[in-house]
Amino acid sequence: MAHLSLTPKVSSSSTSSNNQSCMDFCHAHFFSVPTQGSIYTLAQLVDSAGRTKILFATLQRKVYCMQYWNGRPCIKEVPFTYIPGGAEIISIDAYIRDTDKEDFVIGITIIKKDETNNGSTSQYLNMYSSVDRTSEGNGLQVASQNCLHLQLSYVPYQVKHVLLPQDGGVAVVWLVCGSDSQVHVYHGDDEGHNYQETNLNATFPELCDIKGITLCVEVLYTSDNRVRYTATSGEDGCVTLSKVVLENTVPRIAAKQTMNWDYPVGWVRLLRLQSFNPPTPGLSEVNVIDDYKHNPVIDDELPYLVVGSSVESCTVFRDLAPGKGCYLKDSEAYDVVTCCIVCDLDMDGTNEIVIGTYGQVVLMYKYETNGCWRLVASLNVPDPILSLSYCDIMVEGSNQLIIMTVKGVHVYQCNPWKTKKLCMEKLKALVELRNT
């Protein structure tokens, strides 16, 4: 296993060296693909046993599933139905609906060129899930064969499942950004396999007055589900940040900020400084919300917003207003920034900002007490980067950095010796705390 260390970008000090020591990765595996995907074609699933699966799709209608068995990678193509020959996959997202069974729900948007009609195109949203939720034979293979084929009147961009608090629980709806300058919401019937477009004003009123094409939507709830923050970025350079108060699950826009860039803004990310990891592996996101209520996280303040322009430096805002953002150093130096994730990369309890670039470099930023974000490390990869993820695909108790490039998917494992040292330090601190 080749060792590849992150390049430190900070001066030597006691605090900095501790941060660097945790940002140390080994290149564990690479899986090549015949054709590239897009910035929207990487998704992750956690099954009922706590194993993480990575789904990644290529533009030429192929979908692959990667997971580890007994420490070895297992990669296979998943034969999703209703993806015709010549179709291109635009985006994919997925979640587990029932943690007691392999009951997955996968959304895939596709576009197909009609060769017999002057080159016009047809667009579809394919929703895959298990029809019989009482069956013991549920799983990814079963779900891939059960498709609801919805024709769209617009070209789709990002597809994203989002939690929606309701009376007596939490539902999952699907948001699809379209070329018609609208964001569409689709609600499913858990008793069967039926998805319909629903009234956006009744569920996400903050998305109703969008003027241009939306490229990315981000949603973040407070732990009590009473407040929702929604951020959007658009092809016209418009970025919005909305605060929505849920009064008896009825949404009301409490505040909304808008800022315009001169160039398209490909993505936005909402983040809080304190990281949160589910206490039990294998929980679906619906159940994670319930556990999150009992996690002592102070989250009633405005979250941070990371904005990724196609030309300028990435910027972090607390208040979306000109002159109030913090530029991420060197984020414009490696071609276009294509993706961003928020995760606790050094396992110190606070989140870092990790961005991927088309210039084949991953950049990692850490928050400082003066309100700025400091570039602490970088990682070079062989090919342009399209998407990132951070999860425990190797089932070893710590997360791995997943990097999807135009040539395939890389898995970077945190240096096990550094992870062992950090775990021992935390266990020692817990024992000392218990004995006091």
Side-chain angles (χ1 to χ4, degrees), residues 92-93 158-162 173-176 217-219 269:
I92 183 173
D93 197 15
Q158 181 193 40
V159 61
K160 182 183 183 69
H161 75 280
V162 177
V173 297
W174 291 78
L175 300 179
V176 181
V217 177
E218 274 283 293
V219 177
R269 292 291 180 269

Side-chain angles (χ1 to χ4, degrees), residues 247 268 304 336:
E247 299 172 342
V268 285
Y304 291 88
V336 177

